[in-house]
Structure formats: C-alpha cells, structure tokens
Amino acid sequence: MPSNSSLTIQQPDDWHLHLRDGDMLKSVLPETAKHFARAIIMPNLIPPVTTFDMAKAYHARILSALPAGMSFEPLMVLYLTEKTDVSDVERAYQSGLVKAVKLYPAGATTNSDSGVTDFDKIQPVLEKMAELGMPLCVHGEVVKHEVDIFDREAVFIDKVLDPIRRRNPELKVVMEHITTKQGAEYAREGGDNLAATITTHHLVINRNHLLVGGIKPHYYCLPVAKREEHRLALVEAATSGNTSYFLGTDSAPHLDGAKESACGCAGCFTATNTLSILAEVFDKEDKLENLEAFTSLNGPTFYGLPVNSKKITLTKAEPIEYPAKIETPDGDVTVFDPQMPLHWHVKI
Ligand code: DOR
Ligand code: ZN
C-alpha cells in the first residue's frame, strides 16, 4: 500500500502518443521522455507511416531528436490502409521494431484520410495479425454524417468493432482512448484479447468543460469528451486496477494557432503534466494503490513486453506549477490545464 504522501512505482509507459516530426518532434519528445520509458507512437504523419521502411525511418528520426542523456524507446505502429501489404506487416512485426497496426476509419480524425472505408479489404491483414499475435489499435468512431458526434463511439462498437472481433476472435485489439461507459463495459467483458486505453484528459473533462461559458479549443479532441456519467465510468475503469485498461495519453500537440481557430484541430497536449494529473485523480478516488497497474503494468502485459526495470517516485507536497506552454520554433503548444492544483511531484 502507498503511504498517503509518497508512492514508488515501476516506470510508466504511454500506450498512445503523437510525437509528430521535425521541429515539433524535437520540442515535445523531451516532455514524454522525462517521465516515460516507452510509448506507442501514432503513425498519422503526413504522409502516414504505412510501411515497415517508413516506420524504420521514423524510429531513427525520433531517436535522433532525443536530447543527449535521455533514454526512451519508441514502439512503432503501422498505419493501416486498404492497400497494406500482408508480408510487410509480418516483416515489420518480426523485426521487433513495430509493435502494432493502427486502424483509422477514413476521415475520423487528424490525418486519417488514408484510413479504411471498406473493412472487408483489411481482412487478410487482420488474419495475419491474429496469427502473429500482433495487436490492432483502433480509433473507434464511425464517420457517417447521420451519426451524432457524441454517439460515434457506441455505434462503432456495435456496427464495426464487434463484427470484426467475431470474425477474428484471436485478434488482439486495443480500443484506443475510450470515452464512454459503453466502451468501458465492452473492453471489460472482451476477454484476454481485448483491452482499452484511457487518456488523462478524458478522466478530467466532460463536454461541459469544452462548451459551457465559451468554447475551449484546448479541450477539443477526438473522440470528443462526453457527458459526466461517461467520465465517471472512465474514472472507475482506470482506477479499478482491472487489466483491461491502461494509460494511452493521446497527447497530441498542435500549434496554438491551429487550435485557436475558426476550425480548430482536435488534440489535447498532456505529456508534460500527465503523471501528476493521474496521481491526483487516483488519490481523489482513494485508489492510489492501482495507479501502477494503469500506468506501468497492464500495458506491457497486454503487449507481451517486460515491465520497465526503473522506478519512479511520486511525492505529495505543495502544488506544482507546470509550464502553461511548450515553445517550438513555429509557435507555442498549450499544455492541458486540468483546472485543479497538482500536488504530486514526479522523481525519476
Ligand atoms: O484529438 C485527437 N488528436 N484525436 C486523434 O485521434 C488524433 C489526434 C491528433 O493527431 O491530433
Ligand atoms: Zn491519437
């Protein structure tokens, strides 16, 4: 059991992270690497990381952007298209460098235009992945115009995900960034081949935070935050210690100009203060003893990877002031504001 002012846990990983490329990559990578040992790196670059060769090249760019003295292991992901080559996926997975494939329904979110429209076309890749034990990371939202944006996750589970899983019962699936009680329930009841990541921000905000009293572009992300009852279901899931759930921050940097716009981009940037926020959330629920399962144990177990050997210590003290913004050569990126004092300091 943790004491009520200090907690030592195995070093966390982030099982869903956007690092981008170029100057943005250089600016945001240290924010993750200072706390996390590894992260699943999202492939929605322009152009997307669709092949093993592209993943190798991106992996090398990430490592060369890492400041001297920091260590970090990028876990690479291939972006699934209707043209993805089965043997390329197999080579990528067997190399050990690529850990998963990402399914974006075409048009669901940032840079998802090359994603999948006809799910029958990806069946040969899914069959090979099931055989290999390679996880499929799923952005679980339908994109049909007639489906309300707040219902898109629940409809996706019924109409797309469940049929895919019935057709491929051996396929390992990660429901990425779940935002609904339906998502939490489906993940919990899905057996050993199914898990869900939960972001930091979806544990903190509901749709009122986004919309009441003026629109808050830095709280806009996809899937969009839902009603309070859904946030509460996510908090219950994350803090339960249940192996079906683990942390995927979906920390997604955009320049302030692109967020604070008539057509603002989706994404919350939480890499900087995620661990302090999570400790605060778990502490409020009186569930600090389950923080390690969520941040450091359940993810590696699902992905079949070892737990990190280093430890980190969180200590409760006077509130920390994290920077409000991260500077990049092209402008600032706003750090997610949890609108609560953060008492938990992180020491590696
Ligand atoms: O809010 C989001 N931002 N959701 C996503 O699925 C993509 C991400 C991004 O790349 O900015
Ligand atoms: Zn994402």
Side-chain angles (χ1 to χ4, degrees):
M1 287 291 281
S3 81
N4 46 21
S5 61
S6 170
L7 174 64
T8 297
I9 59 174
Q10 301 299 140
Q11 191 177 7
D13 302 301
D14 184 348
W15 299 95
H16 182 130
L17 177 67
H18 296 270
L19 285 177
R20 317 295 191 209
D21 218 336
D23 285 337
M24 180 66 95
L25 165 63
K26 283 203 185 73
S27 304
V28 300
L29 176 58
E31 298 300 298
T32 288
K34 73 183 180 200
H35 291 158
F36 293 89
R38 300 171 291 196
I40 281 278
I41 309 299
M42 285 297 123
N44 61 334
L45 305 182
I46 306 171
V49 181
T50 50
T51 65
F52 180 30
D53 279 348
M54 291 173 93
K56 277 191 280 194
Y58 187 30
H59 181 261
R61 295 199 298 281
I62 295 169
L63 290 185
S64 67
L66 193 63
M70 279 190 138
S71 60
F72 176 70
E73 186 186 353
L75 308 172
M76 306 311 291
V77 177
L78 296 184
Y79 184 120
L80 183 58
T81 75
E82 292 176 8
K83 299 201 171 78
T84 295
D85 177 33
V86 176
S87 57
D88 192 55
V89 170
E90 183 169 17
R91 264 196 311 279
Y93 188 62
Q94 283 174 342
S95 76
L97 189 110
V98 173
K99 301 295 187 205
V101 169
K102 175 72 188 246
L103 167 59
Y104 286 106
T109 187
T110 311
N111 304 335
S112 63
D113 299 352
S114 320
V116 176
T117 304
D118 180 352
F119 294 94
D120 286 340
K121 295 215 171 108
I122 60 171
Q123 182 57 24
V125 176
L126 301 187
E127 280 168 20
K128 176 55 75 179
M129 290 173 65
E131 185 190 315
L132 294 168
M134 183 183 200
L136 178 72
C137 299
V138 178
H139 183 111
E141 288 189 288
V142 291
V143 291
K144 291 194 173 127
H145 290 294
E146 62 272 24
V147 179
D148 189 277
I149 190 166
F150 292 102
D151 298 333
R152 288 178 171 200
E153 179 171 300
V155 174
F156 183 89
I157 293 169
D158 283 349
K159 297 280 187 283
V160 182
L161 182 57
D162 199 58
I164 287 179
R165 292 190 57 249
R166 284 177 193 278
R167 198 168 169 187
N168 302 279
E170 301 302 320
L171 181 65
K172 292 182 87 161
V173 173
V174 184
M175 299 169 69
E176 301 282 63
H177 43 50
I178 55 167
T179 58
T180 57
K181 62 178 184 202
Q182 291 92 333
E185 271 166 32
Y186 189 78
R188 191 178 49 233
E189 287 159 15
D192 290 348
N193 285 338
L194 185 67
T197 58
I198 301 177
T199 75
T200 307
H201 49 282
H202 288 115
L203 296 176
V204 176
I205 58 167
N206 62 33
R207 64 195 200 179
N208 277 18
H209 294 92
L210 171 67
L211 295 170
V212 172
I215 190 159
K216 316 291 186 318
H218 297 290
Y219 289 159
Y220 176 59
C221 63
L222 287 171
V224 70
K226 309 295 192 297
R227 289 175 180 273
E228 178 65 358
E229 65 178 305
H230 295 290
R231 187 190 71 82
L232 293 174
L234 299 176
V235 170
E236 207 209 321
T239 60
S240 68
N242 187 308
T243 54
S244 303
Y245 310 109
F246 45 87
L247 173 65
T249 65
D250 199 12
S251 181
H254 291 278
L255 296 175
D256 281 353
K259 297 277 301 169
E260 298 164 8
S261 145
C263 184
C265 298
C268 296
F269 181 72
T270 54
T272 305
N273 51 8
T274 272
L275 288 182
S276 295
I277 298 173
L278 290 175
E280 203 73 38
V281 169
F282 278 63
D283 192 5
K284 284 206 175 95
E285 296 299 306
D286 218 358
K287 288 285 173 58
L288 274 174
E289 72 272 17
N290 290 336
L291 182 65
E292 183 178 47
F294 184 65
T295 61
S296 318
L297 307 180
N298 295 347
T301 302
F302 186 82
Y303 274 86
L305 295 171
V307 168
N308 294 312
S309 49
K310 270 200 206 162
K311 291 183 190 274
I312 66 161
T313 297
L314 293 143
T315 44
K316 193 173 186 180
E318 286 308 303
I320 318 161
E321 286 299 325
Y322 280 103
K325 291 175 190 292
I326 299 300
E327 290 174 12
T328 86
D330 300 314
D332 291 347
V333 173
T334 292
V335 175
F336 177 76
D337 175 4
Q339 290 188 15
M340 59 181 164
L342 299 177
H343 300 89
W344 289 90
H345 299 238
V346 186
K347 219 171 59 214
I348 298 283

